[in-house]
Amino acid sequence: MAFLDYLKSLFILQLLMGFVFVVSGLIINFIQLCTCILWPINKQLYRRINCRLSYSLWSQLVMLLEWWSGTECTLYTDQATVDKFGKEHVIIILNHNFEIDFLCGWTMCERFGVLGSSKVLAKHELLKVPLIGWTWYFLEIVFCKRRWEEDRNTVFKGLKSLKDYPEYMWFLLYCEGTRFTEKKHQISMQVAQTKGLPLLKYHLLPRTKGFTTTLHCLKGTVTAVYDVTLNFKDNQTPTLLGIVNGKKYKADMSVRRFSVEDIPDDEKECANWLHKLYQEKDALQEIYNKEGKFPGPTIIPRRRPWTLLNFLFWATLLLSPLINFACGVVVSGSPLLIIGFIIFLIIASVAIRRLIGVTEVKKTGSSYGDQEAKKQN
């Protein structure tokens, strides 16, 4: 076991895995670009193909969580709710406290067959991120600048275009708008006080516009809202770098299902419903902090082999020529080739590190409550 942990910590192995992810992602993005010719001919075929292509990329990240680090994900919910997973269009409301919360969401999407068709209301800056933003673009992900006057038409058009989506989709919403930090929490609660809203201990004040708009636009397609509250055993603070280094975490996810029919149609009442939901999420986190678990029965969905097999396919396809090339460079004895190859490795490692940096709490998130930033905007 110690030897396996040592192997996982080797930078060269992590670099090779990063190489596989980046190069396979570029290949997938190129294929996605080629599928654009299908859009005017058969839009639904285009969508189905891109669901499979995006699965091939995202499942490599899920593989890191499930197989490389061995992170465990336990659901706190009833069997009747689980039986509906992957069989309906839904909106997912997830708390935004951890660097790998999206990975925990994706692993549940994968286990219930909706990873390729999962959606998110994403900040516009991510569109410029190679691989991630490009793949999401072809998946018809809705990007927003968090300025409603500019986003209104784009968001409405993007959401309404998904009403006839051919695959069951889970639409992820981070209603808090940004990752939780103590500074943002203080500012958020000041806003709550000025608006006469109940204070939250473990969450930021939810931004209701994104939720009410998404629910309104997808009404008739989405049948339920899943409220997911995530936490980790033993006060763990998981990071993507920790996952890459093979560190194992234990994630607990409380899942509650709400039928869309039980959620008010009126925008103001719907916003109040969301505020009440976050008060309940806060209470769940309080229980977890005291008892070390969420209330209710537990279910541990089995991990599927497809993520591992998909990664092995890409690794076999891409690493063989890379290793042959590296051996050829060394055997050639050419200083120019060797230096060039070393520079390539350095650039690759920096690029991969920057991709990982997209998830880091200290480097992401909005300028929540920053008055100077607002003036600039």
Side-chain angles (χ1 to χ4, degrees), residues 254-273:
S254 170
V255 183
R256 300 183 298 162
R257 182 184 184 276
F258 298 91
S259 173
V260 167
E261 296 176 354
D262 298 329
I263 301 175
D265 289 327
D266 179 75
E267 183 176 355
K268 185 175 180 180
E269 292 181 5
C270 186
N272 291 334
W273 181 90

Side-chain angles (χ1 to χ4, degrees), residues 105-312:
W106 275 358
T107 193
M108 287 299 111
C109 288
E110 199 289 320
R111 294 184 190 192
F112 294 99
V114 292
L115 177 59
S117 56
S118 61
K119 307 293 180 188
V120 66
L121 195 61
K123 56 185 179 181
H124 192 267
E125 292 90 335
L126 290 175
L127 181 59
K128 303 174 185 177
V129 178
L131 306 184
I132 297 174
W134 301 345
T135 302
W136 273 352
Y137 174 81
F138 292 113
L139 267 181
E140 302 170 76
I141 294 297
V142 181
F143 294 94
C144 58
K145 298 178 181 178
R146 295 176 177 175
R147 291 189 288 271
W148 184 241
E149 294 75 15
E150 297 181 35
D151 290 332
R152 182 192 302 270
N153 293 335
T154 302
V155 170
F156 270 94
K157 182 179 178 181
L159 290 172
K160 288 184 178 296
S161 70
L162 297 175
K163 289 179 69 70
D164 63 343
Y165 210 77
E167 308 265 336
Y168 287 123
M169 62 178 175
W170 286 9
F171 198 106
L172 173 63
L173 287 178
Y174 290 117
C175 293
E176 295 163 88
T178 184
R179 279 203 179 92
F180 183 99
T181 65
E182 288 300 329
K183 181 181 178 182
K184 293 174 185 176
H185 181 251
Q186 291 174 6
I187 297 170
S188 179
M189 292 307 97
Q190 290 172 6
V191 174
Q193 286 181 322
T194 60
K195 293 185 176 182
L197 295 170
L199 301 184
L200 301 173
K201 188 175 181 181
Y202 303 103
H203 299 84
L204 304 179
L205 190 68
R207 301 179 179 185
T208 60
K209 180 65 72 174
F211 173 71
T212 57
T213 301
T214 302
L215 188 62
H216 171 74
C217 291
L218 296 180
K219 206 74 177 275
T221 299
V222 165
T223 57
V225 172
Y226 295 169
D227 170 48
V228 182
T229 306
L230 171 68
N231 215 322
F232 289 84
K233 293 287 189 188
D234 306 319
N235 294 317
Q236 292 175 311
T237 305
T239 64
L240 188 54
L241 272 178
I243 295 294
V244 171
N245 287 321
K247 186 174 182 179
K248 183 176 182 178
Y249 301 105
K250 294 182 179 180
D252 288 333
M253 306 172 78
S254 170
V255 183
R256 300 183 298 162
R257 182 184 184 276
F258 298 91
S259 173
V260 167
E261 296 176 354
D262 298 329
I263 301 175
D265 289 327
D266 179 75
E267 183 176 355
K268 185 175 180 180
E269 292 181 5
C270 186
N272 291 334
W273 181 90
L274 184 64
H275 283 299
K276 182 181 177 182
L277 182 78
Y278 267 80
Q279 294 168 41
E280 295 171 358
K281 289 172 77 70
D282 228 44
L284 283 172
Q285 290 286 30
E286 183 70 24
I287 292 172
Y288 191 91
N289 284 348
K290 290 181 178 179
E291 302 181 6
K293 62 179 182 178
F294 291 114
T298 61
I299 296 174
I300 304 178
R302 291 183 179 181
R303 62 183 180 182
R304 307 194 304 172
W306 311 123
T307 57
L308 181 60
L309 293 175
N310 175 73
F311 175 78
L312 292 176

